[in-house]
Amino acid sequence: MRGEGRGRVKAIKQAIQERIGGGTYRPGERLPSERQLCLEFETSRVTLHEILIQLEAEGLIYREERRGWFVSPARFVYNPQARGHFALSALQQGRLPSTRVIDRQLVRPPARVLDLLDIPASTKMACIRRVRSIDGRAVLYVEHYFQAEVFPGLFEHDLSVSLTELYRDIYGFDYGRMKYQITPTAVSGDAAAALHVAGGSPALLVTRVNHGLNNGIRDCDFEYWRHDAILIEVDVPDA
Amino acid sequence: MRGEGRGRVKAIKQAIQERIGGGTYRPGERLPSERQLCLEFETSRVTLHEILIQLEAEGLIYREERRGWFVSPARFVYNPQARGHFALSALQQGRLPSTRVIDRQLVRPPARVLDLLDIPASTKMACIRRVRSIDGRAVLYVEHYFQAEVFPGLFEHDLSVSLTELYRDIYGFDYGRMKYQITPTAVSGDAAAALHVAGGSPALLVTRVNHGLNNGIRDCDFEYWRHDAILIEVDVPDA
DNA sequence: TAGTGGTCTAGACCACGCT
DNA sequence: GCGTGGTCTAGACCACTAC
């Protein structure tokens, strides 16, 4: 259903794009219903649906499950090298951040954590799962993993704030080097649910491994970003 | 057509995933035709198509226009901070790189270049467009822009190699700081054609601004990566 | 030329949201 | 309870690929 398409797909898509660009449909607003757009553009629902999915892939629109299609707000600019500044950074961009803790558990490290951290499979790990929103819209689902004994009693604190600051302020812990990976994927399961997104929707996975200043590995996290909500920006100074 | 789906979508998707994971369909191999899969899984083409698009979004399969669906090979690991090492890096990963120059032109800077470079709109810019492949599969479409007068006669050289090395070896030019942005988008037009991908397919756009060592801005480029072919990995040393 | 993917139609039923 | 999105069917024609 893709393609530069001889058919009407291209024309309809462009018409909708122009309405978004021209302000007929404004950021955050709902589009008319699928059936309505079908009537207007004289096409079938399957075809229209395909067009909406393409616009979703471009990051122009997004959907909330069973509620409809919405025009995407401006992207959140994110620097993965600046640790723990989600809230601050959002405020600086004139956006309203919020964080919800889904749960906290003690777990055996799952396979993908073992791949990253080079620790014994028997290590007791703490796992904190959170959802972060911008202007009321969930944009990020994160799972943090760290060795439970390193930050004893952390679960007693308010975990909706910057974990980096908690580590530093309460445990006097500072970070050293880090490694991050960025992979385009699709979300499913808990991540999809937390982001109010249909399973199979495109997303950006940012995986991070943090080392303590003494070079011991301390933690890692898995960040699933709504693909239309993020723009990664990194400044690299002179070598 | 998405969703955690009560229906058969989820089951069929999982069955195909298992065939890929289990080696029934191997990396680089073509899947059976859509009609064939429809028969086997007793579903319609629209439905099956939707499933294939989801698997494409996950990066498990990709398509070549009008030729069919193929199992995605392993991702190419790319460090955007290491300039000009595409070929070397590919070889180190045991992959076979190649580069094709699409064209070279003198142009007025387009809007998005002006946004990045803070130069007068009348500046004469050189634009080089290239496609880079891994193991014979086009994975990257790049447009390089730089001020024409800085590297006079560059067009006479072989442009299928590392431009960074050309700058250094022939003009004694070395880079200083840089800035890069990463945006999930969709490709269309020339980029889609160069990647042999249908317009509207998801892709990762890496935008880079390079400064010379004397801090003068020198060039920028726009890299469109096939979304299933890339894994960005960056190491950040101690501060 | 046969078979493929690409596009499109005109229906249908279900589960959920909203009011 | 109505309207919505989510899912699904069973066809169709076209353009291109591979042979």
Side-chain angles (χ1 to χ4, degrees):
Chain A
M1 307 294 173
R2 296 271 172 72
E4 225 54 65
R6 309 282 159 275
R8 290 211 288 296
V9 166
K10 202 180 169 183
I12 298 175
K13 198 171 139 187
Q14 199 172 329
I16 298 179
Q17 279 172 331
E18 277 163 13
R19 289 187 189 178
I20 293 173
T24 309
Y25 306 148
R26 316 189 78 90
E29 256 181 39
R30 231 195 88 197
L31 297 187
S33 80
E34 292 187 7
R35 278 169 247 253
Q36 182 123 8
L37 289 170
C38 285
L39 281 176
E40 192 181 341
F41 291 111
E42 293 181 305
T43 187
S44 70
R45 275 194 65 204
V46 174
T47 303
L48 187 87
H49 208 266
E50 203 52 41
I51 292 167
L52 294 174
I53 286 179
Q54 284 191 33
L55 293 171
E56 184 194 37
E58 287 176 23
L60 230 56
I61 62 177
Y62 68 98
R63 44 178 155 171
E64 293 182 14
E65 280 250 55
R66 300 207 113 86
R67 294 202 344 106
W69 296 86
F70 297 76
V71 179
S72 297
R75 292 174 186 266
F76 172 66
V77 180
Y78 175 60
N79 180 352
Q81 303 196 5
R83 266 178 280 239
H85 289 317
F86 175 81
L88 183 62
S89 174
L91 290 170
Q92 281 168 351
Q93 293 174 43
R95 316 291 289 264
L96 189 66
S98 65
T99 301
R100 182 172 67 81
V101 177
I102 300 173
D103 59 15
R104 56 201 86 178
Q105 320 170 40
L106 289 177
V107 295
R108 287 282 134 85
R112 57 180 185 168
V113 172
L114 288 176
D115 283 347
L116 290 174
L117 289 195
D118 189 33
I119 49 172
S122 61
T123 311
K124 245 190 231 146
M125 302 288 287
C127 171
I128 301 174
R129 306 194 303 161
R130 312 193 292 179
V131 196
R132 314 199 92 164
S133 302
I134 297 278
D135 298 330
R137 175 183 171 221
V139 294
L140 168 62
Y141 165 86
V142 212
E143 297 181 357
H144 298 266
Y145 290 90
F146 53 88
Q147 294 179 46
E149 79 250 19
V150 178
F151 302 118
L154 187 79
F155 282 1
E156 313 308 320
H157 292 90
D158 175 10
L159 298 179
S160 68
V161 301
S162 160
L163 294 183
T164 309
E165 282 182 22
L166 269 189
Y167 298 162
R168 189 182 56 229
D169 295 349
I170 303 188
Y171 301 91
F173 175 80
D174 273 307
Y175 279 121
R177 69 190 177 86
M178 66 184 285
K179 182 165 96 172
Y180 60 90
Q181 295 181 330
I182 300 172
T183 321
T185 29
V187 277
S188 61
D190 290 342
L195 294 175
H196 305 298
V197 145
S201 300
L204 203 64
L205 168 60
V206 180
T207 303
R208 194 202 311 264
V209 181
N210 292 306
H211 300 244
L213 255 188
N214 58 356
N215 223 0
I217 292 177
R218 276 304 139 74
D219 66 81
C220 64
D221 58 49
F222 302 89
E223 306 178 353
Y224 291 89
W225 292 85
R226 286 186 86 123
H227 86 293
D228 66 318
I230 186 178
L231 188 166
I232 288 178
E233 184 171 275
V234 178
D235 263 295
V236 186
D238 279 11
Chain B
M1 307 289 178
R2 297 269 171 74
E4 225 56 62
R6 309 282 159 274
R8 288 210 290 295
V9 166
K10 201 179 170 185
I12 298 174
K13 198 172 141 188
Q14 199 172 329
I16 298 179
Q17 280 173 330
E18 278 163 13
R19 290 186 189 180
I20 293 173
T24 309
Y25 306 148
R26 315 189 79 88
E29 255 182 41
R30 233 196 87 196
L31 297 187
S33 79
E34 291 187 8
R35 277 169 247 252
Q36 182 124 8
L37 289 169
C38 284
L39 279 177
E40 192 181 341
F41 291 111
E42 293 181 305
T43 187
S44 70
R45 276 195 64 204
V46 175
T47 302
L48 186 87
H49 207 267
E50 202 52 42
I51 292 168
L52 294 174
I53 286 179
Q54 285 191 35
L55 293 171
E56 183 193 38
E58 287 176 24
L60 229 58
I61 61 177
Y62 69 98
R63 45 179 155 171
E64 293 182 14
E65 279 250 54
R66 294 194 174 278
R67 293 202 343 107
W69 297 86
F70 297 76
V71 179
S72 297
R75 292 175 186 266
F76 172 66
V77 180
Y78 175 60
N79 180 351
Q81 303 196 6
R83 267 177 279 239
H85 288 318
F86 175 82
L88 183 61
S89 174
L91 290 171
Q92 281 168 352
Q93 293 174 45
R95 317 290 289 264
L96 188 66
S98 65
T99 302
R100 182 173 66 83
V101 177
I102 301 174
D103 57 16
R104 55 202 87 177
Q105 320 170 39
L106 290 175
V107 294
R108 287 282 133 84
R112 59 180 182 166
V113 172
L114 288 175
D115 284 347
L116 289 174
L117 289 195
D118 188 35
I119 49 172
S122 61
T123 311
K124 247 191 230 143
M125 302 287 286
C127 171
I128 300 174
R129 305 194 303 162
R130 311 194 291 179
V131 196
R132 314 198 93 164
S133 302
I134 297 278
D135 298 330
R137 176 183 171 219
V139 294
L140 168 62
Y141 164 86
V142 213
E143 297 181 356
H144 298 267
Y145 290 91
F146 54 87
Q147 295 179 46
E149 78 251 17
V150 178
F151 301 118
L154 186 79
F155 282 2
E156 313 309 319
H157 293 91
D158 175 10
L159 298 178
S160 69
V161 301
S162 160
L163 294 183
T164 308
E165 282 182 22
L166 268 190
Y167 298 162
R168 189 183 57 228
D169 295 350
I170 303 188
Y171 300 91
F173 175 80
D174 273 308
Y175 279 120
R177 69 190 177 88
M178 66 183 287
K179 182 166 97 173
Y180 60 88
Q181 296 180 329
I182 300 172
T183 321
T185 30
V187 279
S188 61
D190 290 342
L195 295 175
H196 305 298
V197 144
S201 301
L204 202 64
L205 169 60
V206 180
T207 303
R208 192 204 312 263
V209 181
N210 292 306
H211 300 243
L213 256 187
N214 58 357
N215 224 357
I217 292 177
R218 275 305 137 73
D219 65 81
C220 64
D221 57 50
F222 301 90
E223 306 178 352
Y224 292 88
W225 292 84
R226 285 185 88 124
H227 85 295
D228 66 318
I230 185 177
L231 188 167
I232 288 178
E233 183 171 275
V234 178
D235 262 295
V236 185
D238 279 11

